[in-house]
Amino acid sequence: MNNLIALHKLRTFDKSFSLDVSIQRPDRYRHIDSLSNLEPIIARGGGFSYTPASFGHGSKSIDMTKFNRIGVYDHANSTILLESGVKLIDLINWAAKHKLHLPVLPGHPYITIGGCIAADAHGKNPFVDGTFADYVEEILLFHPSYGYQNLSRINNPEIFSLTCGGYGLTGIIISTKLRLLKLPSYYVKTVSTGIASLYEAIDKLTTASGMSAYSWHDATKGSNFGKGLFFSSQWDDDKIPTEFTPYLYKLNSTIKDLPFSAWNKSSTSIVNYIYNRVNCGKTTSIEYIKSCFPLINNSFYYYFYGKLGVREYQLLIQDQFIIKFIDYFYDLQKNNNFPGVMISIKKFKGNQHSLSPSGTGYMISFGAYVNKDTLCVFSKLDEMMLAFKGQPYIVKDSRLPYEIAIKSIKNYDSFRNNLIKYDPLRLLRSELSDRLKI
Ligand SMILES: Cc1cc2nc3c(=O)[nH]c(=O)nc-3n(C[C@H](O)[C@H](O)[C@H](O)COP(=O)(O)OP(=O)(O)OC[C@H]3O[C@@H](n4cnc5c(N)ncnc54)[C@H](O)[C@@H]3O)c2cc1C
């Protein structure tokens, strides 16, 4: 498909929602110029969001993956000019070759730069590195009513702030200037330590300072719930760099979904036990670019969910509430038909004032399979989130109800009011924005 408008079925990464929508894939500026302000549109990057943020009823999806050129590196300011459809894998390969890197990398190599800005994504140690928006210096944005606008913290700062973490609702990001850092080494040393509980992870995360620090936990209902591993990585300067080898990853679209979920109470218990035993107490040193997407390297994790798909709940809990929240989490698994597979925790710091989480605390991700009680368990997590003043990471949750969103997204009101002031016709729309009444 090129710039021609075609009808396609688009599906969320969690496989819970699909829709036939019109989609257009521009590859020239004149295709962008000709977008009219008479019909709703929404930008689409790699399509790796768990929630339908890049398509919706009555909106034309503008697929930006052909805008994928890597431009000039500005040595004086350490910024690289990128079109928004550049994939993370292409950026890290280019950057590593030039002895540079971007510290904030979400977990899939085919996620695009536009998608990272729009979700204000985070990487493996957001407390140290911040979020994606912290590395964005400039944005070229297109809105059919206003044409092209240059945004930065100095030029149009309000629209810049609405756009980072704004889920494509301010317009189409055409290109951006991102700040890169010097690559300290081609190798990363990771130590994994066994931990007995979610509480122990919090203890370790409180003092973790490495380039990457996160925990992984068995989320199977029962006595192993919360047991896991703590991964801490540092640049490995001891290893002599060999020749740079690019990271290669191919999406295999020919593999058919399993017709059922291979994750269930018995399989999670066995697989997690083995994963824990195999990885516990290990020190490894691997090439930096191979360390960027650890979950994707364990490709069975997503494959096992089958055609019913994965469900994920991700939320930020502030420091003062984390222990009480964990107490409730232990009770939740004890008292329910609990569909947990894994939990991961990172220490978090976010500065954005859009729909993304902001402030400091612990970012908890909970991966679950679908059983008859999954929705009920997620509703109970909603209640816990509200009780402990948590904030949702909305891109990971395809069902977050409006009633919960308005009470938990910290900047919901100001974001919505500013967006309506900027774009009274509300031309950029998706299922996510409709569901959250933005
Ligand atoms: C396996 C996996 C691991 C992940 N790990 C992490 C993680 O560690 N940390 C994290 O923060 N997130 C993570 N994510 C979530 C991911 O970072 C976001 O969903 C991201 O937005 C996906 O980018 P995309 O290019 O696929 O965009 P899409 O899914 O296509 O779109 C996402 C949003 O971005 C907007 N958008 C895309 N391109 C543009 C553009 N050019 N202009 C304006 N708006 C645009 C869309 O309108 C939509 O609102 C993960 C997702 C997966 C599947």
Side-chain angles (χ1 to χ4, degrees):
M1 189 191 61
N2 52 21
N3 187 50
L4 294 175
I5 300 166
L7 203 64
H8 271 269
K9 189 180 275 309
L10 296 182
R11 189 167 69 158
T12 52
F13 184 80
D14 74 359
K15 299 182 184 158
S16 73
F17 184 89
S18 63
L19 197 64
D20 289 319
V21 295
S22 295
I23 178 159
Q24 183 174 350
R25 187 180 292 159
D27 59 1
R28 300 272 189 286
Y29 277 79
R30 64 183 151 81
H31 300 149
I32 300 281
D33 298 342
S34 62
L35 291 172
S36 112
N37 67 356
L38 298 175
E39 62 172 340
I41 54 170
I42 187 73
R44 179 169 169 87
F48 284 92
S49 296
Y50 288 56
T51 197
S54 63
F55 60 98
H57 292 276
S59 256
K60 183 168 67 175
S61 288
I62 309 299
D63 178 330
M64 292 301 286
T65 51
K66 291 273 181 195
F67 271 75
N68 59 358
R69 277 162 295 195
I70 298 182
V72 184
Y73 180 66
D74 172 348
H75 285 268
N77 295 306
S78 312
T79 55
I80 177 80
L81 178 64
L82 299 169
E83 286 185 337
S84 63
V86 169
K87 296 194 278 293
L88 291 178
I89 185 172
D90 296 329
L91 174 61
I92 61 166
N93 279 331
W94 181 91
K97 196 168 153 199
H98 294 84
K99 298 199 168 56
L100 297 164
H101 79 114
L102 179 68
V104 178
L105 293 173
H108 196 291
Y110 276 45
I111 287 171
T112 65
I113 299 303
C116 289
I117 298 175
D120 191 19
H122 54 269
K124 289 177 218 67
N125 196 351
F127 189 68
V128 171
D129 300 321
T131 61
F132 208 85
D134 295 329
Y135 298 83
V136 179
E137 295 298 327
E138 285 175 31
I139 292 173
L140 178 65
L141 185 77
F142 178 84
H143 186 291
S145 301
Y146 307 125
Y148 295 93
Q149 304 166 87
N150 280 306
L151 316 178
S152 70
R153 288 177 187 81
I154 295 162
N155 236 340
N156 293 315
E158 299 83 13
I159 315 303
F160 179 83
S161 176
L162 283 181
T163 300
C164 299
Y167 291 90
L169 302 179
T170 56
I172 298 175
I173 300 164
I174 306 296
S175 60
T176 184
K177 274 189 187 168
L178 280 190
R179 186 165 52 85
L180 300 180
L181 306 187
K182 198 169 157 282
L183 186 70
S185 166
Y186 273 129
Y187 293 92
V188 170
K189 190 187 272 180
T190 301
V191 178
S192 64
T193 323
I195 46 178
S197 66
L198 300 172
Y199 301 105
E200 200 179 334
I202 300 302
D203 269 358
K204 288 205 176 310
L205 283 165
T206 306
T207 52
S209 61
M211 64 169 285
S212 156
Y214 62 94
S215 64
W216 166 90
H217 306 264
D218 187 344
T220 316
K221 180 182 169 76
S223 58
N224 280 338
F225 180 85
K227 288 186 181 157
L229 299 165
F230 186 77
F231 292 99
S232 166
S233 304
Q234 306 285 351
W235 296 105
D236 187 355
D237 304 322
D238 299 341
K239 226 166 170 173
I240 312 291
T242 52
E243 200 136 289
F244 166 73
T245 39
Y247 173 69
L248 300 173
Y249 176 84
K250 279 256 162 295
L251 272 185
N252 195 338
S253 49
T254 54
I255 294 184
K256 282 230 156 40
D257 286 342
L258 283 175
F260 53 88
S261 172
W263 288 123
N264 54 46
K265 189 163 180 286
S266 320
S267 64
T268 30
S269 168
I270 295 165
V271 175
N272 284 346
Y273 177 79
I274 296 170
Y275 180 74
N276 203 339
R277 286 299 292 263
V278 168
N279 290 291
C280 188
K282 255 188 170 173
T283 300
T284 51
S285 183
I286 59 169
E287 281 172 69
Y288 151 71
I289 41 180
K290 291 192 181 138
S291 74
C292 292
F293 308 106
L295 208 52
I296 290 306
N297 296 337
N298 291 313
S299 51
F300 71 89
Y301 173 74
Y302 290 107
Y303 179 67
F304 270 24
Y305 282 102
K307 72 171 188 196
L308 292 176
V310 54
R311 296 295 176 271
E312 190 157 324
Y313 201 110
Q314 190 163 353
L315 82 171
L316 174 66
I317 297 287
Q318 295 166 53
D319 300 356
Q320 68 265 39
F321 297 118
I322 189 69
I323 298 300
K324 271 262 157 262
F325 180 86
I326 290 178
D327 292 346
Y328 273 74
F329 215 148
Y330 274 87
D331 287 346
L332 184 74
Q333 61 86 24
K334 260 188 228 144
N335 302 328
N336 290 277
N337 178 16
F338 195 72
V341 178
M342 60 88 104
I343 294 169
S344 176
I345 312 181
K346 304 168 189 175
K347 188 123 173 73
F348 183 89
K349 185 166 68 199
N351 301 314
Q352 250 308 99
H353 293 279
S354 49
L355 294 174
S356 52
S358 57
T360 58
Y362 295 88
M363 183 62 93
I364 306 177
S365 320
F366 166 55
Y369 53 86
V370 178
N371 72 13
K372 66 181 177 39
D373 291 335
T374 308
L375 276 177
C376 169
V377 166
F378 274 46
S379 298
K380 289 184 177 160
L381 279 166
D382 288 341
E383 287 165 24
M384 283 164 56
M385 175 167 68
L386 293 184
F388 294 106
K389 300 190 187 333
Q391 300 172 51
Y393 186 36
I394 59 179
V395 85
K396 289 287 186 82
D397 188 343
S398 55
R399 61 90 264 143
L400 186 76
Y402 164 71
E403 294 72 20
I404 305 297
I406 49 161
K407 292 185 198 146
S408 55
I409 298 174
K410 194 168 170 188
N411 303 303
Y412 179 92
D413 285 336
S414 63
F415 178 85
R416 189 171 179 279
N417 294 340
N418 288 334
L419 188 68
I420 291 170
K421 213 164 19 162
Y422 160 73
D423 178 14
L425 296 177
R426 291 287 298 101
L427 202 61
L428 285 297
R429 310 198 72 94
S430 61
E431 191 280 338
L432 174 71
S433 71
D434 289 348
R435 173 161 38 90
L436 303 191
K437 303 193 184 169
I438 291 170

